[in-house]
Amino acid sequence: MSTKQITDHFLEAASVLEKFIADKSNFERIQEAGDQIIKRLKKGGKVISCGNGGSMSDAMHFAEEMTGRFRENRGPLAAIAISDPSHLSCISNDYGYDFVFSRFVESIGGSADVLLAISTSGHSENVIQAVHSAKAKGMFVIGLTGKSGGKLADMVDIELRAPQSKYADRVQEIHIKIIHSLIDYIETGMAV
């Protein structure tokens, strides 16, 4: 691997970020998503997050920053990532992997809650099933997607889509910026 190959990673990441920044409606959608979460948290709701692979790591990161803290000390905010290994293996074994997230949403989701559904392709069947379950419960759904937005694009209440790129890592880099910006916005909003 040459330094050019390494440099190209950073240049490509910067290009994708510049595309995201150029579309000001992205920031309006992040604000709208934050407002919806704040409204529901203030009414006693919670945020349930889910995703596969790196997106599961992002879902977990979102939840731990909410229950812990992001930048400033404050009280914990109600959030949980669907990531318990015993739940995932149980549901996979008994019902199939397509239902690992939806069964969790069915069990603890409520109409005051938000589902943060993360899929770099927008086509992850288990995330799609979770959205179906969330909608059936009257939950508000925020989707973090990439590429074309996939099936999730038309299913969620707010879609936050990373610009088109060849690989999922560029999508995940935008997703983590969205997550950090969203948490910061929520922290500020919950303080007033």
Side-chain angles (χ1 to χ4, degrees):
M1 179 182 266
S2 67
T3 56
K4 181 190 179 319
Q5 188 174 359
I6 294 167
T7 303
D8 287 347
H9 276 280
F10 286 88
L11 294 174
E12 183 185 19
S15 173
V16 173
L17 182 59
E18 286 172 8
K19 287 178 191 170
F20 187 85
I21 291 169
D23 183 352
K24 301 305 179 196
S25 68
N26 286 322
F27 305 119
E28 293 166 5
R29 284 192 297 278
I30 294 170
Q31 180 180 12
E32 184 183 351
D35 288 339
Q36 291 294 334
I37 291 172
I38 291 165
K39 181 171 94 173
R40 284 161 172 73
L41 289 174
K42 287 186 174 182
K43 291 182 179 179
K46 62 188 166 297
V47 183
I48 300 170
S49 54
C50 66
N52 295 290
S55 295
M56 179 180 282
S57 296
D58 287 344
M60 293 168 66
H61 185 68
F62 175 84
E64 58 88 3
E65 296 279 25
M66 293 282 284
T67 59
R69 73 170 188 170
F70 179 57
R71 291 188 169 172
E72 306 296 333
N73 284 330
R74 44 104 174 131
L77 302 172
I80 186 168
I82 307 173
S83 58
D84 182 298
S86 59
H87 167 81
L88 297 173
S89 64
C90 170
I91 302 305
S92 292
N93 185 62
D94 294 350
Y95 297 96
Y97 195 68
D98 287 351
F99 304 99
V100 293
F101 302 139
S102 60
R103 292 286 293 187
F104 193 94
V105 170
E106 289 170 22
S107 68
I108 70 164
S111 60
D113 297 337
V114 176
L115 176 67
L116 179 62
I118 309 172
S119 172
T120 60
S121 69
H123 290 296
S124 302
E125 188 58 34
N126 53 6
V127 176
I128 289 168
Q129 291 300 322
V131 172
H132 285 305
S133 293
K135 289 293 194 176
K137 293 206 140 219
M139 294 170 63
F140 192 86
V141 181
I142 300 165
L144 270 61
T145 67
K147 299 185 180 179
S148 69
K151 295 176 186 175
L152 283 180
D154 295 326
M155 298 176 65
V156 300
D157 296 301
I158 297 174
E159 181 196 14
L160 301 169
R161 185 187 305 174
Q164 184 74 31
S165 58
K166 188 174 179 181
Y167 297 107
D169 54 319
R170 297 287 91 94
V171 175
Q172 291 168 333
E173 289 163 1
I174 297 297
H175 284 180
I176 200 64
K177 287 304 310 160
I178 292 170
I179 286 168
H180 285 160
S181 299
L182 189 56
I183 294 166
D184 187 51
Y185 186 84
I186 293 164
E187 281 189 349
T188 302
M190 289 300 290
V192 291

